[in-house]
Amino acid sequence: MTALRRRETLTSQLTRTLTGRIAQGMLKPGDKLPSEQELIGEFGVSRTVVREAISSLRAAGMVTTQQGVGAFVQADALTQPFRIDEANLDLLKEVISVLELRIALEAEACALAAQRRGEAHLEAMRVALDRMEAAIAASEDAVAPDLDFHRTIAEATGNAHFTHLFSYLGALMIPRTRLQTFRFFADDRTEYLRRVNREHEDIYQAILRRDSDAARSAMRLHLSNSRERLRKAMDQGAASPDRPNGAAITGE
């Protein structure tokens, strides 16, 4: 029997294992997946876990199912669009991994935005920053203007692929990264969020000056600071890598 670790949900682990077997060619297009009973016996999980894993594979377009027959690997199982399993984002470690992807994406987008931004982009960024500052002062949710600021930078690249990928990552990540890390690294919520917005201001000023190198560095520093706050929270026990932590605060 193949034991599954309990550092993430059993469904996610089984889904990952079966996906790996498909990617490695152990299960080829057209092949029938092992039966429910065979998977239960091999992995020591419940019927519910098996069914949820198969449903995840089906939703990802990797398998098709025939009632009363079983699940079969799709012919195009390995050519599916880029996708992040939302279930895994309940793990703080996975949230940090996706944030690292954002660092690579948004740092370069910021450099391009500094070269290509128009006046309308600058105005939209300024409005987002002012809205975030007002929300902070009023102790309101600052996530929406935060997301708008980052989205506008992606739009300012003039490259629709940056916009589409950021929209996907932003919609996926923002609700999952509203963690109460400010408790551990600032005297109060307001100071924490104002520090975040000061980092935004540095990014804006670099884009305003059309300084691509400074814009890239400011965005990398901003998101890297967010990553380090989350890492420190995890290391200090603020949140287990196996569980989501706390209530909504901010997008970063």
Side-chain angles (χ1 to χ4, degrees), residues 175-194:
R176 304 264 180 176
T177 56
R178 299 171 178 178
L179 305 172
Q180 291 186 1
T181 54
F182 75 94
R183 288 182 180 179
F184 304 90
F185 314 118
D187 292 336
D188 57 42
R189 171 186 183 276
T190 299
E191 175 54 32
Y192 167 75
L193 292 178
R194 282 186 172 152

Side-chain angles (χ1 to χ4, degrees), residues 60 67 94 103 105 114 116 127 131 133 194 198 201 203 212 214 230 235:
Q67 190 169 5
E94 186 68 9
I103 292 171
L105 172 71
R116 302 173 182 176
V127 168
R131 283 171 52 218
E133 187 61 34
R194 282 186 172 152
R198 285 196 296 270
E201 185 67 36
I203 294 167
S212 293
L230 294 178
D235 290 344

Side-chain angles (χ1 to χ4, degrees), residues 124-183:
M125 289 178 210
R126 183 74 264 163
V127 168
L129 293 180
D130 291 345
R131 283 171 52 218
M132 184 166 178
E133 187 61 34
I136 294 168
S139 297
E140 296 175 351
D141 191 343
V143 172
D146 187 339
L147 182 58
D148 286 345
F149 177 74
H150 284 266
R151 183 187 293 109
T152 302
I153 291 173
E155 292 171 352
T157 66
N159 183 330
H161 298 300
F162 276 107
T163 305
H164 293 160
L165 187 52
F166 174 75
S167 294
Y168 172 68
L169 290 175
L172 193 67
M173 287 291 291
I174 290 298
R176 304 264 180 176
T177 56
R178 299 171 178 178
L179 305 172
Q180 291 186 1
T181 54
F182 75 94
R183 288 182 180 179

